[in-house]
C-alpha cells in the first residue's frame, strides 16, 4: 500500500485512482457511497419501503424467551423484536465496523446479549443476485438481517 497512490475498484466498475487530484469516477463513487449510507439509515429506522427484515433462527428463539406457554412466548417475541428494532434504529455506527462508510453493519446490545445486524443489497425479491446499484432504491431490495454473533 503506497501513500501517494492507491487503486481500488469503484462500485461503478471503474478503477479509481486516488492521488493528489480526484477523478470524476471517485467523486461519483463518493456520491454513491453517501446515498447508500443515507438509504441504510432509513432502512434501519424502518422508513424505507420494500426493505425485508429477518432474524436468524437462533436469535428468533432467543427473542421468544423461556416461558413454556406458546402465547406468552409469541407476545415476548413481539415485544423483544420491537425493542430490538428501536435499539438498532438509534444505535450509532462504529467506524471500525464500517470501513466502506455505508452503515451496513452494526453491533448492539439488548439485555446483556450482543446482537449483530447487517444489510445486504439484492437486485430483486428473489435475492438470487446482488444489486449492481445499491445507491438506487428503485433497482435494489435491501435485506436487514439480525443475528447472534454465533450466527455470523
Amino acid at each position: 500500500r503506497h501513500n501517494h497512490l492507491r487503486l481500488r475498484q469503484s462500485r461503478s466498475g471503474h478503477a479509481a485512482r486516488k492521488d493528489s487530484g480526484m477523478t470524476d469516477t471517485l467523486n461519483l463513487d463518493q456520491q454513491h457511497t453517501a446515498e447508500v449510507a443515507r438509504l441504510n439509515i432509513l432502512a434501519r429506522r424502518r422508513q424505507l419501503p420494500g426493505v425485508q427484515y429477518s432474524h436468524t433462527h437462533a436469535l428468533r428463539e432467543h427473542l421468544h424467551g423461556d416461558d413454556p406457554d406458546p402465547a406468552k412466548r409469541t407476545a415476548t417475541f413481539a415485544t423483544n423484536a420491537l425493542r430490538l428494532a428501536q435499539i438498532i434504529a438509534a444505535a450509532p455506527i462504529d467506524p471500525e465496523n464500517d470501513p466502506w462508510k455505508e452503515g451496513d453493519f452494526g453491533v448492539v446490545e439488548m439485555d446483556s446479549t450482543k446482537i449483530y445486524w447487517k444489510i445486504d443489497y439484492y437486485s430483486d425479491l428473489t435475492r438470487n443476485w446482488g444489486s449492481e446499484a445499491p445507491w438506487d432504491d428503485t433497482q435494489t431490495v435491501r435485506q436487514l438481517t439480525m443475528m447472534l454473533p454465533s450466527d455470523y
Side-chain angles (χ1 to χ4, degrees):
R1 186 165 149 163
H2 303 281
N3 290 335
H4 66 284
L5 176 67
R6 188 178 83 202
L7 293 177
R8 73 180 185 90
Q9 191 72 21
S10 73
R11 283 205 178 270
S12 61
H14 304 331
R17 192 173 114 160
K18 184 175 182 179
D19 54 20
S20 59
M22 296 184 128
T23 65
D24 289 340
T25 302
L26 186 57
N27 287 333
L28 185 58
D29 224 23
Q30 290 172 333
Q31 291 171 12
H32 287 168
T33 299
E35 183 61 9
V36 168
R38 185 187 76 79
L39 291 169
N40 287 345
I41 289 169
L42 293 175
R44 287 177 47 218
R45 293 179 180 165
R46 298 188 180 233
Q47 297 173 341
L48 185 66
V51 177
Q52 306 290 308
Y53 299 92
S54 64
H55 306 93
T56 60
H57 180 74
L59 179 58
R60 182 174 284 280
E61 285 300 309
H62 178 77
L63 295 176
H64 273 94
D66 298 337
D67 198 299
D69 180 347
K72 288 183 181 177
R73 285 177 49 83
T74 298
T76 300
F77 173 79
T79 299
N80 284 337
L82 179 60
R83 285 179 51 224
L84 179 56
Q86 292 168 338
I87 291 168
I88 289 171
I93 301 291
D94 180 346
E96 289 189 22
N97 289 331
D98 193 25
W100 299 108
K101 309 289 185 246
E102 293 180 352
D104 60 353
F105 177 84
V107 180
V108 296
E109 194 168 297
M110 186 172 96
D111 300 331
S112 300
T113 299
K114 188 180 283 191
I115 299 170
Y116 293 173
W117 61 266
K118 66 190 271 308
I119 299 174
D120 293 302
Y121 317 107
Y122 296 97
S123 61
D124 60 29
L125 290 173
T126 65
R127 292 178 268 176
N128 288 328
W129 303 102
S131 174
E132 295 289 324
W135 56 86
D136 183 348
D137 66 330
T138 65
Q139 297 182 50
T140 302
V141 174
R142 279 176 166 65
Q143 170 78 41
L144 192 152
T145 305
M146 295 153 273
M147 67 199 85
L148 295 173
S150 59
D151 296 323
Y152 194 68

